[in-house]
Amino acid sequence: MLNSIDTAAVIRDGGAVGRYPDQIHDAVGWWLGACMVVTTQISRLAVAHDGHPVSVRFAHKLCQGAINAQHYACNVRYLGDQPEPELLALATGPLEASAAWISTSPAADRDTVQIRLYAKDGKLLDETTGLAGIRDLIDRDRVPIPVNSRAKGTIEGWPSEATTEARP
C-alpha cells in the first residue's frame, strides 16, 4: 500500500479522524468511500462537507472511491457545503441513502480532518455495522476497485443532472 496509515488510530468514532497530512491524507477519503460501499453493500450515498478547502478535497476523493467500488455502481449525491443535520435529514428522507460528512478543524500546526460515516438509518457506523470491515480492508490493502466500466457508479449534485466526470 502506498502511503499507509495507522488504521487503529485513524478509523474510529464512526469514521476516520486524524491530523492532516501526517495521520490522515487525501487517499483515505477514496479508501473510505470504496470500502464503505463494499462493506455495507450500499447503492446510494449522500456526501457533504463543512466548506473548508481540505474537507472539499476529502469529499471529492470519497465520492470517487464510492463510484469505483467493485460492481456496486453506487449513486453518490454530492451535496457540497451543508451542515451535518441537513445532510442527515436529506439522506434519511428523500434521498434514502447512507451518508458521509467531512469536516476540518484548523489548527496552527496541523488541521484535523474528521469523516463521519452513516448507515441508511442515520446512525454512525460502528464496529458491528461496517467500521471494522472497512478497517480490515484497508489493513489488508484490499481497497476495492471496479471490475469493469459498466460497474462504475455515478455522482449527481443535489438537485441536478447525473454525471460521472464533471463533479468531484
Side-chain angles (χ1 to χ4, degrees):
M1 172 188 306
L2 298 175
N3 207 358
S4 63
I5 60 168
D6 179 353
T7 56
V10 171
I11 300 176
R12 58 185 171 84
D13 300 334
V17 62
R19 286 184 322 277
Y20 174 77
D22 52 333
Q23 285 183 316
I24 190 169
H25 52 79
D26 296 15
V28 174
W30 199 100
W31 298 347
L32 288 176
C35 291
M36 180 183 184
V37 168
V38 170
T39 301
T40 61
Q41 300 181 0
I42 57 174
S43 60
R44 292 183 186 184
L45 178 65
V47 178
H49 55 75
D50 64 359
H52 189 281
V54 172
S55 300
V56 173
R57 275 201 308 274
F58 274 84
H60 289 183
K61 293 286 190 175
L62 193 140
C63 290
Q64 289 299 318
I67 67 168
N68 284 293
Q70 291 180 341
H71 61 278
Y72 288 92
C74 185
N75 173 256
V76 175
R77 293 313 276 283
Y78 180 68
L79 306 175
D81 184 357
Q82 293 289 328
E84 190 174 16
E86 181 71 18
L87 164 69
L88 292 174
L90 288 168
T92 58
L95 295 178
E96 297 179 6
S98 296
W101 194 72
I102 298 96
S103 63
T104 301
S105 300
D109 57 342
R110 296 275 188 244
D111 295 340
T112 298
V113 174
Q114 182 172 32
I115 302 170
R116 296 169 58 91
L117 304 174
Y118 292 92
K120 191 174 177 181
D121 62 5
K123 293 182 182 170
L124 275 172
L125 292 188
D126 62 27
E127 294 302 309
T128 62
T129 59
L131 211 53
I134 291 168
R135 187 182 309 107
D136 181 59
L137 285 173
I138 295 170
D139 274 341
R140 293 185 301 120
D141 198 17
R142 297 288 183 218
V143 177
I145 58 172
V147 292
N148 60 51
S149 61
R150 289 180 312 214
K152 189 171 185 171
T154 58
I155 300 171
E156 296 179 43
W158 175 254
S160 68
E161 299 295 314
T163 180
T164 56
E165 299 179 35
R167 296 234 191 290

